[in-house]
Amino acid sequence: MKLLLSLSLLSLLASCTSNNTRPTAELPCRAAPATNRGLGYVSQGVGQVGTTLIDITDDTSNYGGKVADRQGRDYSNITFNAARRGDDVVYREANRYTDLTMDTVDDGVDFSARAIGRYPAVVSGVSKRGLFSIRKVYQSSLISYGDVFTDGYWGFRNIFRPQDPKPYMVGSLNDLHGGHAMPGSSWHCRLPELPVEPVVQAAGKNPYTVSK
């Protein structure tokens, strides 16, 4: 196999030299591949350097990005957790002191309502009892005055001017006259007697003291 390749290569070179009589005819056939092979090592090195730089840049940026992302998230979480807890503290204390204030207001209102409902009642009760006491004295004075005037003046007046006897009065003048009307519009004959109903006595009880 190697022998066949060598023979084919030699035949190719022979064709290049046999067909071209110029001195530079061997440049594209021999020098170009050799140059390309030499420059291939250079380009390979340059490519390796470029690849290495890109790899370093990729790895470095990936490293920095992961560190920055993780640290940024950690400190962001720390900041927001602190903010949330601070807000919770403010909210709790606000509710606490608000409840304290409103409870104090409610207690004050309850006390005021209690006092308003009690002390005016004391004043009105004193006024009421005082007026009742004055009324008792006033009524007692009027009753005493009426009794004195009635028993004194009218009693003294009845001595000289007795009241007209009425049919229902015991011992009136009508009892002395049998059916004869006497002068005067208020003087009449004796009223007819009403029949007396017999009283049924209850067993063992006084009918005059027993109430229904």
Side-chain angles (χ1 to χ4, degrees):
M1 188 67 177
K2 292 180 180 181
L3 180 59
L4 293 175
L5 290 175
S6 300
L7 292 174
S8 62
L9 183 60
L10 289 173
S11 64
L12 178 63
L13 290 175
S15 63
C16 289
T17 56
S18 61
N19 295 330
N20 298 314
T21 57
R22 298 191 304 269
T24 58
E26 294 184 358
L27 289 175
C29 293
R30 293 184 178 183
T35 301
N36 286 331
R37 283 195 299 270
L39 293 176
Y41 293 109
V42 176
S43 63
Q44 184 178 2
V46 173
Q48 186 65 38
V49 171
T51 302
T52 302
L53 292 176
I54 292 299
D55 292 339
I56 292 172
T57 302
D58 186 12
D59 295 336
T60 304
S61 62
N62 192 13
Y63 164 78
K66 288 185 176 180
V67 172
D69 179 70
R70 182 69 269 163
Q71 296 303 313
R73 291 181 183 275
D74 290 341
Y75 286 102
S76 177
N77 291 333
I78 292 172
T79 302
F80 282 107
N81 287 333
R84 290 189 188 94
R85 294 196 63 185
D87 182 68
D88 290 340
V89 171
V90 173
Y91 178 75
R92 182 192 64 202
E93 295 302 320
N95 283 330
R96 176 177 296 170
Y97 291 109
T98 301
D99 291 339
L100 174 62
T101 302
M102 296 310 300
D103 290 340
T104 304
V105 172
D106 291 340
D107 292 337
V109 171
D110 292 339
F111 178 77
S112 300
R114 179 173 176 266
I116 291 172
R118 296 177 70 187
Y119 290 101
V122 173
V123 175
S124 62
V126 171
S127 301
K128 182 179 179 180
R129 293 188 64 182
L131 293 175
F132 283 173
S133 299
I134 294 173
R135 187 187 68 177
K136 289 179 182 179
V137 175
Y138 177 71
Q139 287 180 344
S140 299
S141 300
L142 291 180
I143 292 172
S144 299
Y145 168 77
D147 291 341
V148 171
F149 191 82
T150 301
D151 296 340
Y153 172 77
W154 292 108
F156 180 77
R157 182 176 180 278
N158 288 335
I159 295 174
F160 299 97
R161 187 178 179 182
Q163 296 180 356
D164 294 337
K166 303 298 180 183
Y168 55 85
M169 294 181 179
V170 177
S172 65
L173 295 178
N174 286 330
D175 294 337
L176 302 178
H177 301 275
H180 299 284
M182 298 187 68
S185 60
S186 61
W187 295 67
H188 302 286
C189 297
R190 182 173 183 177
L191 297 177
E193 295 182 0
L194 298 176
V196 179
E197 296 291 335
V199 179
V200 179
Q201 295 183 359
K205 295 182 180 179
N206 188 351
Y208 298 102
T209 59
V210 175
S211 61
K212 294 182 179 180

